[in-house]
Amino acid sequence: MRSSYFTFKGQTSLYVFVAVLFLVGVIFGALMVNALSLEQRQDLEGYLGNFFMTVQHSSQGVDSGTYWDIAMLHLKWVGLIFILGLSVVGLPGILVLDFLKGVLIGFTVGYLVGQYSWKGLLFALVSVAPHNLFVIPILLICSVAAMTFSLYIIRNRVLMHRSPSRQRPFASYVILTLAMAVLLLGVASFEAWVTPAMMRWVTPMLLPV
């Protein structure tokens, strides 16, 4: 295998497929908002009301524990994708994770907009969008790398199409995943220290007068 095993040019179709799957998840999540019962909507409204109050009255500083909670959440997601990519049976699981990530984002934004109109959209823009502009591409890159390595295992272990340099794809896979994990640590710092400040700027608009 060549060292450029995980290049964008060589995996364009997989990137398109994963991106479309994620977008389908976003749409599905947004549509799920309409399926909520009145009781579920009331429960969510009460939870968000308490959350907005907590954000509004929270201190300006963020401790390192909060940062590591956010960082570990992202790293666990990438770690799970990495582990699934190490096996043949993990391939469908990678697709499920990408779809679920889209559902979570679609549902969150869809509910905020449906419940609070333009104010909800503004809150979503400061609380959901900024870090996800980096998190989503990173997760898609990790997913494509995991799918590529899983397909490599299928070709070499299941179909018996042996490659003379089997260690290179694994090394490239590990290095790429570690690089994405380091980037996520940087994104987590933004999410931990910058995002709360932007949220405190918007939450007064969402609190009842």
Side-chain angles (χ1 to χ4, degrees):
M1 286 288 179
R2 297 174 300 176
S3 58
S4 58
Y5 189 76
F6 295 103
T7 59
F8 177 82
K9 183 178 181 181
Q11 310 299 334
T12 304
S13 58
L14 286 179
Y15 278 105
V16 172
F17 177 75
V18 172
V20 170
L21 181 65
F22 171 77
L23 289 176
V24 171
V26 171
I27 296 172
F28 184 80
L31 293 176
M32 282 180 59
V33 176
N34 298 324
L36 292 175
S37 64
L38 179 60
E39 182 178 357
Q40 290 172 326
R41 287 179 179 273
Q42 290 175 341
D43 289 341
L44 279 175
E45 185 177 358
Y47 171 80
L48 282 177
N50 293 331
F51 175 73
F52 294 148
M53 290 292 295
T54 301
V55 170
Q56 181 64 18
H57 295 95
S58 63
S59 60
Q60 296 293 325
V62 178
D63 56 32
S64 59
T66 301
Y67 165 77
W68 284 112
D69 288 341
I70 295 172
M72 289 306 298
L73 179 63
H74 293 317
L75 292 178
K76 286 177 182 178
W77 200 279
V78 169
L80 183 56
I81 291 175
F82 175 80
I83 293 172
L84 290 173
L86 296 176
S87 64
V88 175
V89 296
L91 185 58
I94 299 169
L95 300 177
V96 170
L97 286 178
D98 292 330
F99 179 77
L100 286 178
K101 189 66 175 180
V103 170
L104 291 173
I105 294 177
F107 181 84
T108 302
V109 175
Y111 181 80
L112 287 171
V113 174
Q115 188 69 24
Y116 301 99
S117 186
W118 67 269
K119 297 178 182 179
L121 177 60
L122 181 61
F123 186 80
L125 288 176
V126 300
S127 63
V128 179
H131 61 272
N132 275 308
L133 289 176
F134 299 95
V135 172
I136 298 307
I138 289 174
L139 292 181
L140 294 185
I141 291 172
C142 290
S143 297
V144 171
M147 292 170 62
T148 301
F149 190 75
S150 183
L151 292 172
Y152 166 79
I153 295 176
I154 294 174
R155 286 194 297 267
N156 286 268
R157 301 295 176 85
V158 179
L159 302 180
M160 304 302 289
H161 294 167
R162 299 290 181 179
S163 171
S165 55
R166 287 175 291 175
Q167 293 183 349
R168 279 189 180 180
F170 179 72
S172 299
Y173 180 38
V174 172
I175 292 172
L176 185 145
T177 302
L178 290 176
M180 295 300 103
V182 171
L183 288 177
L184 282 176
L185 292 178
V187 175
S189 64
F190 179 91
E191 190 175 354
W193 282 285
V194 179
T195 299
M198 295 191 296
M199 290 168 60
R200 283 192 292 270
W201 172 64
V202 177
T203 46
M205 305 179 189
L206 301 170
L207 292 173
V209 179

